[in-house]
């Protein structure tokens, strides 16, 4: 198998040809709930099915279509990555990180990761957006496992102390002061967590819980991209309230918040 770094460079070359743009400035990975609102960024100038690009695996989750949309937003060329893939679909960490690596190899220096998450704080109402300030990677894997990155890629021993850019977080706060920050605990899923697991990560400082983002963030930082990650809180995490969790509730919260999420994304991209 081609190593994942070279594979991303090859996929980026294919993406440039198929999308008709030489280079991207920004990439936005659309998580559950964020796709509906993303049309606020504008009409795509091209749509590339990700299955047509080398190394991409097809998403199996409802509400995630595998497409890279190219959109111009206020003078910037944005890659909208729709159809994230997860570990719980049976993918490797390298496959999960491949779309992000590809758009960065195609030029994007800023990566905005979005997701749906459970909230640990009972005061954090479903529908709230939280900027991730740091994470607990509980997936027991890393996109940097395996072959060493070839030159000119950075060493795999990457520093993650400013993984979620302080600069981008303060930019988000400037746009919407109601947006708080929190630590995201990334589990493998696909089952939701037990109340004991939620209590554990709560003691470790987590405010959000989900099944994505952490591996993509690590891969993006390894490629020197500036990372912003935004969570839409779709439900209270297990044990925070009496209500059982269900996937429909996660999708519905996304639909309800679509307009405000689209507006937020558009304002953030214009302010970069
Ligand atoms: N746990 C894990 N992932 C999630 C949740 C949750 O409560 N809500 C949305 N994604």
């Amino acid at each position: 198998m081609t190593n994942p770094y070279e594979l991303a460079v090859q996929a980026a070359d294919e993406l440039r040809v198929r999308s008709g743009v030489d280079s991207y400035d920004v990439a936005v990975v659309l998580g559950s709930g964020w796709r509906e609102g993303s049309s606020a960024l504008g009409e795509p100038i091209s749509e590339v099915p990700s299955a047509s690009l080398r190394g991409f695996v097809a998403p199996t989750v409802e509400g995630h279509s595998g497409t890279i949309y190219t959109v111009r937003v206020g003078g910037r060329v944005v890659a909208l990555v729709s159809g994230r893939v997860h570990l719980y679909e049976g993918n490797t960490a390298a496959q999960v990180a491949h779309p992000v690596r590809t758009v960065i190899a195609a030029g994007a220096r800023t990566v905005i990761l979005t997701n749906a998450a459970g909230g640990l704080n009972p005061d954090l109402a479903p529908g709230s957006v939280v900027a991730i300030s740091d994470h607990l990677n509980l997936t027991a894997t890393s996109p940097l496992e395996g072959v060493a990155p070839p030159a000119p890629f950075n060493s795999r021993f990457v520093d993650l102390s400013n993984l979620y850019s302080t600069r981008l977080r303060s930019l988000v706060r400037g746009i919407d002061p109601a947006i708080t920050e929190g630590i995201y605990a990334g589990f493998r899923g696909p089952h939701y967590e037990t109340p004991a697991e939620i209590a554990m990560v709560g003691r470790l400082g987590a405010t959000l819980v989900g099944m994505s983002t952490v591996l993509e963030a690590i891969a993006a930082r390894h490629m020197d991209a500036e990372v912003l990650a935004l969570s839409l809180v779709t439900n209270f995490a297990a044990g925070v309230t009496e209500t059982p969790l269900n996937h429909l509730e996660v999708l519905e919260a996304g639909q309800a918040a679509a307009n405000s999420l689209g507006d937020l994304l558009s304002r953030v991209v214009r302010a970069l």
Side-chain angles (χ1 to χ4, degrees), residues 53-120:
L53 302 172
R54 212 170 289 212
F56 278 71
V57 290
T60 64
V61 185
E62 207 191 327
H64 286 251
S65 88
T67 309
I68 299 181
Y69 300 93
T70 300
V71 191
R72 278 187 205 279
V73 184
R76 293 200 176 74
V77 185
V78 181
L80 275 183
V81 182
S82 175
R84 155 182 276 144
V85 294
H86 307 80
L87 287 175
Y88 65 71
E89 294 167 272
N91 299 305
T92 63
Q95 286 169 324
V96 169
H98 184 64
V100 161
R101 284 194 170 127
T102 299
V103 287
I104 297 172
R109 306 310 317 147
T110 308
V111 172
I112 304 175
L113 302 171
T114 64
N115 63 42
L120 273 78

Side-chain angles (χ1 to χ4, degrees), residues 32 115-120 184-185 187 189-193 198 208-212 232-238 245-247 249-250:
S32 304
N115 63 42
L120 273 78
Y184 178 94
F187 282 87
H191 51 272
Y192 290 113
E193 302 70 31
I198 293 301
L208 301 161
V209 64
M211 307 172 192
S212 66
L232 168 69
V233 177
T234 51
N235 57 280
F236 293 111
L245 274 59
N246 72 78
H247 185 58
E249 150 188 67
V250 172

Side-chain angles (χ1 to χ4, degrees), residues 13 46 48 65 80 93 97 99 107 120 173 202 240-241 257:
D13 289 339
S46 66
V48 178
S65 88
L80 275 183
L120 273 78
R173 265 201 313 279
V240 175
T241 62

